[in-house]
Amino acid sequence: DIQMTQSPSSLSASVGDRVTITCRTSQNIDNYLNWYQQKPGQAPKLLIHGASNLQSGVPSRFSGSGSGTDFTLTISSLQPEDFATYYCQQSYTRLAFGGGTKVEI
Amino acid sequence: QVQLQESGPGLVRPSQTLSLSCTVSGGSMTGGGDYWSWIRQPPGKGLEWIGYIYNTGSVYYNSSLDSQVSMSVDTSKNLFSLKLASVTAADTALYYCARGTTSLKGWPIDSWGQGILVTVSS
């Protein structure tokens, strides 16, 4: 099974900050890496697919990069509505999720 | 825009079988390239993938749950189902059904149900 290591598990940031979340996989997954945002009481929402492709309707301050085993989600200028938990997920072999990163004020 | 809705009992006794269904509306399940998944989230914790099924009936399960899980699909009724046997309190979670697509790079999950809370308790 592919293991997903997401870091940090939580972070504190302010509006306007640049935020970076990393995801590392235990084996090469090419670009089969996706990022989701989850707010309390809501289902997760797809932000980035294929490591770097912005999902339709998602603000351009979100971006993704990486390939192989190391991936990054970046929020260029944190907005109040971005305080949430973020998950990476691989689809290379079956599915698996990272442990999540809670972005707090 | 496809919509998904989970249904089933909110309370299951320990050692019993948890059974949930997911009804798909606003689209067909027969289109190639889509996979239909179950994901759960224990209270206050992260997401755990349970398994997914294609409209052909091919299934793939999380290896940690393989001995407990079975999934089925009925494309004529636009629904798919989950059974989780011999449940314990550790299976208490919010259960989501979701659609994944191979039409997007990375084969992501692009549609989710609202989730159904299932509690395992006597």
Side-chain angles (χ1 to χ4, degrees):
Chain A
D1 294 357
I2 296 176
Q3 306 303 314
M4 314 282 294
T5 303
Q6 196 175 328
S7 61
S9 57
S10 65
L11 66 89
S12 296
S14 300
V15 173
D17 284 354
R18 181 181 182 88
V19 170
T20 299
I21 299 168
T22 64
C23 182
R24 177 166 290 175
T25 59
S26 60
Q27 58 185 270
N28 188 336
I29 62 167
D30 195 4
N31 290 326
Y32 287 84
L33 192 286
N34 308 298
W35 291 97
Y36 301 84
Q37 176 193 66
Q38 186 180 34
K39 296 181 179 179
Q42 297 183 17
K45 170 189 171 183
L46 177 64
L47 297 177
I48 301 286
H49 61 91
S52 61
N53 299 275
L54 194 66
Q55 173 67 348
S56 176
V58 174
S60 59
R61 63 181 179 272
F62 291 93
S63 64
S65 64
S67 183
T69 61
D70 292 290
F71 302 88
T72 299
L73 172 70
T74 300
I75 309 172
S76 60
S77 178
L78 199 65
Q79 297 302 300
E81 60 269 30
D82 300 337
F83 291 95
T85 301
Y86 295 84
Y87 294 93
C88 59
Q89 174 254 320
Q90 67 84 17
S91 300
Y92 186 79
T93 302
R94 305 191 180 208
L95 297 183
F97 288 92
T101 297
K102 186 173 184 179
V103 177
E104 301 175 295
I105 299 173
Chain B
Q1 179 76 3
V2 68
Q3 294 183 321
L4 302 98
Q5 178 67 59
E6 305 88 351
S7 60
L11 178 65
V12 180
R13 306 299 183 194
S15 81
Q16 299 301 303
T17 297
L18 180 160
S19 297
L20 297 175
S21 293
C22 181
T23 300
V24 179
S25 59
S28 171
M29 294 187 70
T30 58
D34 293 338
Y35 60 92
W36 307 94
S37 192
W38 288 97
I39 294 151
R40 69 182 182 180
Q41 185 169 36
K45 296 188 177 181
L47 301 168
E48 180 181 31
W49 172 67
I50 300 172
Y52 63 71
I53 188 167
Y54 286 99
N55 60 10
T56 58
S58 296
V59 292
Y60 299 84
Y61 300 140
N62 185 326
S63 59
S64 68
L65 299 169
D66 193 62
S67 62
Q68 277 185 278
V69 178
S70 66
M71 294 176 61
S72 61
V73 62
D74 188 338
T75 56
S76 67
K77 295 181 179 179
N78 255 28
L79 68 84
F80 61 107
S81 301
L82 167 72
K83 290 187 185 297
L84 188 67
S86 305
V87 297
T88 69
D91 296 307
T92 293
L94 187 62
Y95 285 76
Y96 291 103
C97 62
R99 182 190 75 172
T101 179
T102 61
S103 300
L104 294 174
K105 291 182 180 179
W107 295 7
I109 294 172
D110 66 345
S111 297
W112 298 71
Q114 64 184 21
I116 182 170
L117 179 62
V118 179
T119 301
V120 178
S121 175
S122 56

